[in-house]
Amino acid sequence: MSANHSPLVEKDKLIQELGYDDHFHEHHHGDKYQTNFLTTYIFSQDHKMIARQFLMTGIFWAVIGAAMSIIFRLQLGYPDADLSWLKPVLGKWITINDAGIGRLEPEFYYALVTMHGTIIVFFVLTAGLSGTFSNLLIPLQIGARDMASPFLNMLSYWFFFLSSVVMFYSLFLSTGPFSGGWTAYPPLSALPQASIGSGAGMTLWTVSLVLFVVSVLLGGMNYITTILNLRTKGMSMWRMPLTVWAFLVTAILGLLSFPVLASGFFLMLFDRSLGTSFYLSDIFINGQALDRIGGSPILYQHIFWFLGHPEVYIIILPAMGIVSEVLSVHARKPIFGYRAMVYSILAIAFLSFIVWAHHMFMSGVNPFISNFFVVFTLIIAVPSAVKVFNWISTLYGGNIRLNTPMLFCIGFVSMFISGGLTGIFLGNSAIDIQQHDTYFVVAHFHIVMGVAAFFGMFAGVYNWFPKMFGRFMNETLGKIHFWVTMIGAYAVFGPMHYLGMAGVPRRYYRFDNFDAFKDFTDMNKFITIAAIITFFAQLLFVVNFFWSMYKGRKMTEQNPYGSNSLEWTTPIETGHGNWPEKIPTVQRWAYDYGKDNKEFIQQHVPLAEGEEHSSH
Ligand code: HEM
Ligand SMILES: [Cu+2]
């Protein structure tokens, strides 16, 4: 910038020319943010690097979380098996009896179940999914140089990292990590003496998740501000790809619900260490009444699920956004019902705040209150069905490329339908009386949230891997990964519906000492074997991921899929600031596929003579 040039004039000129004030312009030559290894790779403020950090940390946790589930599945499928070979890893949590048989300590079984849930829900499917793709795609797809605050964005990752370290450390406590279930209901969570995991394990669990909330809030504020304020010229809200809509609404949900969880956790910490009794009353320990009265464990449940239900949508909405985008690109068709998709996201988001007590039908809430929650819970099926209808209609008549990202999108739709249907059973309080706390619930949420969200994440990773690492992942391995996971997931969670309907409760250490459940021994074995096979397919993904980073086929064209959105207008090696020259201005929505006999028209391409905007 020349010295006789007033900054004000410069700014006005930019706004006039480009429609935005391109701050980045000022440090066009050399990047003041990335000067050495540390600022480029570790404390990076580049949203693309932060996305990769979220993804790597997410993969790390996914492997741990999944390995834990394999250990407790072994216990459930083969309760009499000798697990002494696990002693080198689990140490004192495997006890060897007189006959030389190694057994998993029941306490640690509960710790594994608890950690599995916590890790997958928060660290993998929230941070690993939303953190990765909101970071990667928001600036690239709306045409921004970076997030509104790259610094806060960096902090958001590091709070997640810190939260991870605390949780990881808790795995190695001599009393073990927290073991009262991922929902951490009191009194198990509120009384340090309630179980061994309720001591230091629970304290670290709570501290870790409070740090996690800070991370979500820092990230979410940034995503919202960036989307609302940093869109390039011409990128009206109604021209944004559905990914960006989904990330926006997800961030709003997070901002409104996570602070409630944090405050609930603070009350929990007070109960645990300051002698208050927000959540405690009428507790007897060894026949002795605890002198803490007046609180209510139900209060905690309300607070937890006020976050907990929106949280399930915080997990699934980004996956839905990714699926909408990838499905449309690889079906070579505009997404069907774009506006209906947006309105459905908004409707789901709104409704997700007024259904939380469907997790509490059996906690003694007034049945008349339950009716309110039943009605709104069932209404969520409407926007959900609209979305499913639109995905299928997008596929219908499409020129479908059955590549790995597309397969995972179709798998997502299948899982979302199967899991959504069982939600309708559970949403009826009268039916839930039978199903609550059984494997039916476990089956429901693993299919609709666990597997479906993972599928959305896989679709995203396979699809945008070239944008992240400049290379493609291996397609053959990808397809094997898909098919084994698709069949495996149904084999694992399908039979669980049956177990649940027969009344088999969740979170039990073993079932063979109950006459009623003896018949399910073989089914439990089957589930365990299916889970192990599915687990190995995920390791295949991890191998493919790291192998492809260095050895995958190189990306040679800027826009390999013939996609319309702006991330593919950046150079193959995308530097900090994303576009070396001006940011493209946007002329049309993101879904002009197959229009006027053109296979695709990118968003920055002006309307041809006589061309009309696609009505949407
Ligand atoms: C039409 C849609 C849906 C309905 C009507 C529905 C209904 C329900 C109900 C009533 C429960 C409580 C069951 C019980 O504990 O007895 C439940 C549990 C659950 N649902 Fe859904 N659901 C739907 C979709 C979803 C979606 C889309 C997700 C996530 C993406 C999800 C995630 C969960 C989770 C995580 C739990 C169990 C949490 C736990 O107890 O550990 N559900 N669902
Ligand atoms: Cu819910």
Side-chain angles (χ1 to χ4, degrees):
M1 213 190 295
S2 59
N4 57 2
H5 212 130
S6 117
L8 195 71
V9 177
E10 176 80 0
K11 197 172 153 195
D12 289 347
K13 201 175 108 220
L14 277 170
I15 292 181
Q16 219 170 33
E17 264 179 27
L18 307 172
Y20 52 79
D21 168 18
D22 190 353
H23 295 290
F24 204 80
H25 187 86
E26 292 161 23
H27 34 88
H28 219 288
H29 309 286
D31 180 346
K32 74 172 178 187
Y33 291 113
Q34 298 188 357
T35 45
N36 57 33
F37 180 84
L38 215 60
T39 47
T40 309
Y41 294 104
I42 313 294
F43 297 105
S44 171
Q45 300 192 24
D46 183 343
H47 68 102
K48 299 183 293 300
M49 183 58 67
I50 296 172
R52 281 174 273 188
Q53 292 174 327
F54 269 107
L55 183 57
M56 297 291 175
T57 318
I59 291 178
F60 168 81
W61 277 118
V63 172
I64 295 188
M68 287 174 163
S69 73
I70 295 306
I71 299 173
F72 64 69
R73 264 326 309 180
L74 278 176
Q75 163 65 30
L76 290 169
Y78 301 90
D80 292 318
D82 176 16
L83 294 180
S84 47
W85 55 276
L86 276 171
K87 197 154 174 76
V89 190
L90 298 186
K92 70 168 184 178
W93 302 114
I94 300 282
T95 45
I96 314 268
N97 64 14
D98 296 341
I101 309 270
R103 291 253 191 267
L104 183 67
E105 277 289 309
E107 273 292 342
F108 200 65
Y109 169 85
Y110 290 117
L112 286 174
V113 176
T114 304
M115 284 298 126
H116 165 79
T118 309
I119 288 170
I120 302 280
V121 166
F122 293 110
F123 293 172
V124 184
L125 295 180
T126 305
L129 174 53
S130 171
T132 302
F133 288 101
S134 300
N135 265 300
L136 179 72
L137 294 178
I138 289 174
L140 284 173
Q141 289 193 329
I142 64 168
R145 298 246 179 244
D146 206 311
M147 288 291 175
S149 169
F151 179 72
L152 289 189
N153 203 29
M154 174 181 79
L155 280 190
S156 155
Y157 172 74
W158 286 102
F159 268 98
F160 169 43
F161 186 83
L162 214 61
S163 151
S164 290
V165 170
V166 174
M167 193 68 82
F168 192 69
Y169 179 77
S170 83
L171 301 178
F172 301 97
L173 290 172
S174 65
T175 45
F178 180 51
S179 55
W182 80 280
T183 51
Y185 283 1
L188 271 184
S189 52
L191 288 172
Q193 67 272 36
S195 76
I196 59 169
S198 305
M202 178 57 191
T203 306
L204 291 187
W205 188 92
T206 321
V207 170
S208 165
L209 286 186
V210 168
L211 291 169
F212 187 81
V213 173
V214 176
S215 159
V216 171
L217 299 185
L218 289 171
M221 266 173 357
N222 236 327
Y223 306 155
I224 296 171
T225 317
T226 308
I227 294 171
L228 294 183
N229 290 330
L230 294 191
R231 278 168 291 131
T232 182
K233 187 174 185 179
M235 179 64 87
S236 66
M237 296 296 275
W238 289 113
R239 286 180 178 172
M240 298 194 310
L242 285 171
T243 33
V244 180
W245 270 109
F247 300 144
L248 171 67
V249 177
T250 302
I252 296 172
L253 286 185
L255 239 47
L256 294 177
S257 61
F258 266 106
V260 177
L261 181 77
S263 50
F265 282 166
F266 282 120
L267 300 187
M268 173 76 78
L269 287 170
F270 296 160
D271 270 12
R272 291 170 58 78
S273 34
L274 301 182
T276 59
S277 64
F278 289 104
Y279 304 139
L280 294 167
S281 195
D282 304 318
I283 307 254
F284 288 82
I285 300 175
N286 297 331
Q288 279 274 304
L290 191 74
D291 63 355
R292 314 261 284 278
I293 50 168
S296 159
I298 304 296
L299 170 65
Y300 174 86
Q301 295 191 19
H302 280 294
I303 294 176
F304 181 86
W305 288 113
F306 186 80
L307 158 94
H309 188 83
E311 167 64 10
V312 306
Y313 287 96
I314 288 172
I315 286 176
I316 208 73
L317 286 179
M320 288 176 161
I322 289 171
V323 165
S324 305
E325 174 70 15
V326 175
L327 205 73
S328 163
V329 170
H330 294 298
R332 314 308 290 147
K333 273 184 67 188
I335 187 81
F336 189 90
Y338 173 86
R339 277 183 193 246
M341 285 303 221
V342 174
Y343 289 128
S344 312
I345 295 177
L346 294 172
I348 289 175
F350 171 73
L351 289 168
S352 77
F353 277 103
I354 49 172
V355 298
W356 77 89
H358 65 210
H359 297 272
M360 300 167 56
F361 290 144
M362 290 298 285
S363 67
V365 293
N366 185 317
F368 293 108
I369 293 288
S370 286
N371 285 349
F372 171 94
F373 287 99
V374 168
V375 169
F376 287 103
T377 298
L378 296 182
I379 290 178
I380 293 201
V382 177
S384 307
V386 167
K387 296 194 76 78
V388 167
F389 179 84
N390 288 352
W391 287 318
I392 295 176
S393 305
T394 305
L395 287 172
Y396 184 79
N399 192 0
I400 296 174
R401 298 179 184 146
L402 266 189
N403 52 18
T404 311
M406 180 55 131
L407 286 173
F408 273 107
C409 288
I410 298 173
F412 171 94
V413 177
S414 163
M415 290 291 164
F416 188 71
I417 295 174
S418 316
L421 286 177
T422 52
I424 298 177
F425 291 81
L426 296 171
N428 289 281
S429 54
I431 301 175
D432 188 57
I433 291 171
Q434 160 77 10
Q435 310 293 25
H436 179 65
D437 257 342
T438 68
Y439 269 85
F440 194 86
V441 178
V442 178
H444 159 69
F445 74 77
H446 276 88
I447 289 185
V448 76
M449 175 170 83
V451 183
F454 262 105
F455 276 21
M457 190 165 162
F458 285 135
V461 173
Y462 282 105
N463 194 67
W464 281 286
F465 194 83
K467 195 73 248 167
M468 282 190 269
F469 300 106
R471 291 169 186 272
F472 289 88
M473 287 182 73
N474 182 293
E475 270 291 302
T476 314
L477 290 181
K479 285 189 174 136
I480 299 174
H481 172 217
F482 170 75
W483 284 109
V484 178
T485 312
M486 179 80 184
I487 298 168
Y490 273 122
V492 171
F493 300 113
M496 285 188 191
H497 294 99
Y498 183 76
L499 291 178
M501 281 188 275
V504 178
R506 63 194 284 204
R507 294 177 173 151
Y508 273 36
Y509 174 68
R510 59 189 299 165
F511 296 105
D512 49 353
N513 15 12
F514 300 90
D515 277 342
F517 305 139
K518 277 208 172 80
D519 291 343
F520 301 116
T521 314
D522 287 340
M523 192 174 275
N524 266 321
K525 284 197 174 75
F526 174 84
I527 293 176
T528 297
I529 294 168
I532 292 172
I533 295 172
T534 314
F535 175 71
F536 278 106
Q538 309 319 302
L539 293 187
L540 197 67
F541 165 80
V542 176
V543 170
N544 189 356
F545 185 94
F546 288 103
W547 181 85
S548 302
M549 262 170 74
Y550 299 101
K551 293 274 158 45
R553 179 165 64 85
K554 271 207 164 132
M555 175 165 137
T556 49
E557 353 161 28
Q558 226 176 353
N559 186 10
Y561 305 125
S563 175
N564 289 346
S565 41
L566 290 184
E567 76 272 29
W568 304 107
T569 61
T570 56
I572 294 179
E573 294 234 356
T574 317
H576 195 190
N578 298 338
W579 289 269
E581 302 296 326
K582 280 188 195 167
I583 302 179
T585 48
V586 163
Q587 313 286 347
R588 54 181 75 236
W589 74 326
Y591 297 100
D592 273 341
Y593 292 102
K595 188 184 180 195
D596 298 340
N597 289 325
K598 295 203 186 71
E599 200 196 338
F600 66 99
I601 312 174
Q602 286 184 278
Q603 275 193 282
H604 65 282
V605 177
L607 292 191
E609 233 180 69
E611 186 188 349
E612 307 250 317
H613 278 297
S614 314
S615 58
H616 60 271

